[in-house]
Amino acid sequence: MTLGRAFQIAAFVIAVGYCLRMVFFSEYTQFAGPFRFFTVWGLFLATIAHGLTVFSRDPARWDGFIGAASVQNAMVVLLYWRLYFADPASVTANGQLGVWWLEFYLHAVGPHFLWINALFVYRGFRRPLRSIGWMVGIVTAYIAWAELLVQRFATEPSGTVTNGLPYPFLNNLEFAGRASFYGMNFVVALVFVAGFALIAALIRRSLPQARP
């Protein structure tokens, strides 16, 4: 077994452990429990991506999805820490980080594991247009989920405009403001796709290596 293969398996097993922790030890007092959050979508997308690199007979077939999962996790890291350092209460219920080892895995360590796998071991981002297609689907699905279901059935957090949207700051924005926020961050996601594709190409050129 190569070191890269061992890393993929370890990253997958760790991610599965965090998924199980999220499912069985989260609070479900609000509609959908932890599945309201973009961060948790990122955790499960990353777990699937790791699993595809480990178990798929043709991992190259899933290059677009693995790239999209990597970009979605980059968006999680960017959005969470940018908003947290600007105003902790904008993304947390009480302005405080929760369980530290969980928060840092979800918003730092876990995404880095996926990027290492996607860029250095799996050697992905060969089909960036497919990643964009997957990103359109993921982002559209999450926005529809949050706006049409979570907002309707959840009662907290509450804001000056609405209640129930997963992140407190969203409840202080009119729909036009939220749409602008969603659109702006999707543009940033496209920039991330291009950036990851460029980095991946440079890695493949400078560090030629067969996929495990």
Side-chain angles (χ1 to χ4, degrees), residues 160-176:
T160 57
V161 175
T162 188
N163 301 318
L165 288 169
Y167 298 99
F169 77 96
L170 290 174
N171 294 286
N172 295 325
L173 299 175
E174 298 285 352
F175 179 75

Side-chain angles (χ1 to χ4, degrees), residues 8-97:
Q8 288 178 326
I9 294 171
F12 173 69
V13 170
I14 292 169
V16 168
Y18 275 91
C19 286
L20 293 174
R21 194 272 179 198
M22 193 64 63
V23 170
F24 292 108
F25 296 96
S26 294
E27 292 186 2
Y28 288 85
T29 55
Q30 294 294 318
F31 172 78
F35 296 98
R36 294 174 293 157
F37 301 109
F38 198 54
T39 295
V40 175
W41 280 45
L43 169 63
F44 279 81
L45 289 171
T47 304
I48 294 169
H50 284 307
L52 289 170
T53 67
V54 172
F55 297 111
S56 177
R57 294 183 179 180
D58 183 18
R61 176 184 177 187
W62 298 103
D63 188 277
F65 175 83
I66 293 167
S70 300
V71 170
Q72 191 271 353
N73 273 263
M75 294 304 299
V76 166
V77 172
L78 173 67
L79 289 169
Y80 184 85
W81 293 112
R82 187 185 73 184
L83 292 166
Y84 179 82
F85 286 118
D87 177 12
S90 67
V91 287
T92 61
N94 56 9
Q96 300 292 322
L97 287 172

